[in-house]
Amino acid sequence: MVLFKQPIIEVASNRIFGYEVLTRVREGNELRGADTFIEDLEQQGMEEFDKFVIHGALKLKQNSADLKGTKLFINLSAGSIQNEAFMLTLPSRLKKYGIPSGELVIEITEREVLRHLSGMSALMHKLKDMGVQFALDDFGSGFDSFLYLRHFPVDYVKIEGSFVKNMAKNNRDLQLVKHIHLVAKALGVRTIAEWVEDHEIHKLVSQLGIGIAQGYYYGKPIECLDQDRPKSNTA
Ligand code: G
Ligand code: MN
């Protein structure tokens, strides 16, 4: 299991806003991205994996100077996010690593189905009261985008990368990005443009007034921690 970090930047100042932690699994000489193994893991239950990602990410943040004082974005599975007992351990985990709870952002992917919207929303409010923030990941890629935005007290919307990547060439994508941003802004939610790959897209993002961005243009994911899966008592 290998952890990567990718910078997320503030568009106006070009300063680091935070880092997203991404996971890859090493197979021989190859690294496989999360999208290729998450489905298998989901069959077996993701909790063990998510605990491991959190443990690795917090350890990384604790030990790296460049992660100090910036936000840490972590992707968790729908199973873990809906597990109240598990989620409520987050503040004490943060404390254990000496990380302010205001520096953690949990990404909820649009592609997964969440049930019990009101229960989820109540749980998110509890964690938000303790400082933890939430982002809707891949916004626009799922069927429930606006339903989630309607119900969940999220702090950020991460706009689906394939819309952003294409928006210089495709007016539909441009209009979608522009209006997702306007809706989010009207609701007091900050937007993050994913998959900004070149200067042209960066300029468009800036012109649209999107404040935060991520993508190869600013920095590719960098390998930063390689470790074996823990025994079940480690997390
Ligand atoms: O679902 P989520 O948004 O967490 O997935 C992030 C994925 O997007 C990672 O696998 C990462 O390597 C990839 N990624 C990050 N920046 C870019 C980019 O600029 N272009 C493309 N095509 N992929 C990117
Ligand atoms: Mn993500």
Side-chain angles (χ1 to χ4, degrees), residues 20 22 75 107 137-138 158 194 214:
E20 177 173 359
L22 299 159
N75 300 280
E107 296 195 6
D137 202 4
D138 311 315
K158 296 186 81 175
E194 300 184 304
Q214 179 179 3

Side-chain angles (χ1 to χ4, degrees), residues 6 20 22 24 35 75 107 109 111 137-138 158 165 194-197 214-217 219 221:
Q6 186 181 27
E20 177 173 359
L22 299 159
R24 306 267 194 275
D35 49 331
N75 300 280
E107 296 195 6
T109 181
R111 299 206 177 112
D137 202 4
D138 311 315
K158 296 186 81 175
K165 179 185 157 132
E194 300 184 304
W195 293 16
V196 176
E197 292 188 354
Q214 179 179 3
Y216 296 164
Y217 177 66

